[in-house]
Amino acid sequence: MLSSKIIEWYHQNKRNLPWRETSNPYFIWLSEVILQQTRVDQGLEYYLRFIEAYPTVFDLAGAHQEEVLRNWQGLGYYSRARNLHAAAQYIANELNGNFPSTFTELKKMKGVGDYTAAAISSIAFGEKKAVVDGNVYRVLSRLFEIDTPINSNKGIKKFSNLADSLIDNKRPGDYNQAMMELGATICKPKKPLCPECPLAAECQSLKNQTQQNYPVKINKTKVRDRYFNYLVVENESKIFFQKRPQKGIWAGLFEFPLIETDKVVEDFQLLVKNLPDWIKPKDIAIGIPSSKIHLLSHQRINARFWPIDLAKVDNQTRINFFTEDEIEQLPKHQLIVNYLNDNPIFKT
DNA sequence: GAGGCGTGGAG
DNA sequence: TCTCCAAGCCT
């Protein structure tokens, strides 16, 4: 039996990870959301931080969104943090703290889709729901040499049905974790460790040496160029920060005033006509700009930072100027964090 | 339902 | 330097 083989392998080879030491569905949920599209190595410290800062779903529900985002800083896909917060409030306020315990109920939480609902329901509650994540796609497509693209409707259905047909009836949670662990540590995208694989005897792609052909994917996202001009405006040892819109990239995070252009700007004079109204050209002194390319999965941000010394600030605008310590507490995206690390603005 | 949404590690 | 891509979800 295939499921017995990998479950046995799992019990002997699984990594010791903190979310495997608990049956608390709240903790398991946190780990699953943190690990969406994220490697264990990267997510681990965030998991430890979140269970420390928010030991219960009520603690998370009662936190300020800005603080949750600050704790999420650097992990990416920030809608996960906002959805996590909203779902915690949903559980605390509408479900009286009773954590949803079935696939169907779990899916009503923001940020919980098919994968995460199946993971939580099987691992925390023993429900017989097979997970299909990137690992499972890879393992199954290689095992049976399945050519159907994993990101087509047909493929999603096919792999879902296949995973369900293989699930262990008595230990669905272990089966799911075993499949993912196998994909993460043995059946890796590149250089799979086939000699160590518990399924080597029945793997079609090992037999035919076609591992690198699987899984099959379509629709590769192409990267688009964007040109961001950030105004690093200083006044009396404070820097102006503003919050990004609640939609789009880096939603709700703080950054410097931004002027987006359709190409690289070399001369500051080209930006003058687009300055925010609280920056009067007569009141400013421009420093030496610096450039940085920030790569995202779907965009290449060509960033240019323009240091600006602003002589006069009205009271209305003053509230957007922050001290070094205040800036440390603001949730910021990585482009801004990197800039601040590379360019100490505040001399000690 | 195709595209938007981050970051960093591996090769 | 460049490409791929990692325990996906939402619109």
Side-chain angles (χ1 to χ4, degrees), chain A residues 102-307:
Chain A
T102 66
F103 177 86
T104 305
E105 294 303 311
L106 285 159
K107 274 203 70 173
K108 295 178 181 174
M109 297 163 60
K110 283 191 178 180
V112 174
D114 285 341
Y115 162 76
T116 305
I120 299 172
S121 71
S122 65
I123 296 170
F125 300 105
E127 187 171 349
K128 207 182 128 187
K129 284 282 181 181
V131 299
V132 185
D133 73 333
N135 291 307
V136 177
Y137 279 123
R138 191 166 54 255
V139 171
L140 293 181
S141 65
R142 285 175 174 168
L143 191 57
F144 301 109
E145 284 193 311
I146 299 170
D147 294 313
T148 316
I150 62 173
N151 51 353
S152 64
N153 281 333
K154 192 176 171 185
I156 291 169
K157 191 164 297 180
K158 187 181 182 73
F159 282 94
S160 177
N161 290 336
L162 179 55
D164 278 332
S165 74
L166 298 172
I167 197 168
D168 188 284
N169 290 320
K170 294 178 179 170
R171 295 170 294 178
D174 284 351
Y175 162 82
N176 281 334
Q177 295 197 77
M179 289 290 284
M180 294 190 283
E181 188 77 348
L182 187 68
T185 64
I186 301 291
C187 197
K188 300 185 292 182
K190 296 164 186 172
K191 298 192 173 184
L193 308 177
C194 299
E196 301 175 34
C197 182
L199 303 182
E202 41 267 280
C203 182
Q204 286 300 306
S205 66
L206 170 59
K207 180 182 172 187
N208 298 327
Q209 288 297 298
T210 57
Q211 299 97 320
Q212 290 310 310
N213 300 340
Y214 299 95
V216 176
K217 282 190 193 182
I218 52 175
N219 298 338
K220 302 190 176 176
T221 60
K222 46 195 168 205
V223 175
R224 100 178 136 117
D225 272 288
R226 298 182 75 177
Y227 303 90
F228 284 6
N229 295 275
Y230 281 116
L231 310 179
V232 189
V233 185
E234 179 175 356
N235 172 264
E236 296 179 351
S237 296
K238 294 185 179 183
I239 305 292
F240 188 102
F241 272 84
Q242 62 190 22
K243 190 185 276 197
R244 287 188 61 87
Q246 286 297 329
K247 290 196 176 266
I249 188 173
W250 297 321
L253 301 188
F254 284 81
E255 63 179 13
F256 307 124
L258 169 64
I259 300 174
E260 183 170 2
T261 52
D262 56 9
K263 61 178 188 296
V264 174
V265 171
E266 299 289 353
D267 182 358
F268 185 80
Q269 291 307 314
L270 297 173
L271 297 175
V272 168
K273 65 177 185 301
N274 294 318
L275 290 177
D277 56 14
W278 51 271
I279 299 180
K280 310 297 185 197
K282 66 178 175 55
D283 295 334
I284 62 179
I286 311 300
I288 299 170
S290 60
S291 296
K292 180 84 173 180
I293 293 178
H294 189 79
L295 291 172
L296 288 69
S297 55
H298 56 301
Q299 295 184 21
R300 178 169 43 237
I301 309 287
N302 300 266
R304 199 160 174 81
F305 296 87
W306 301 87

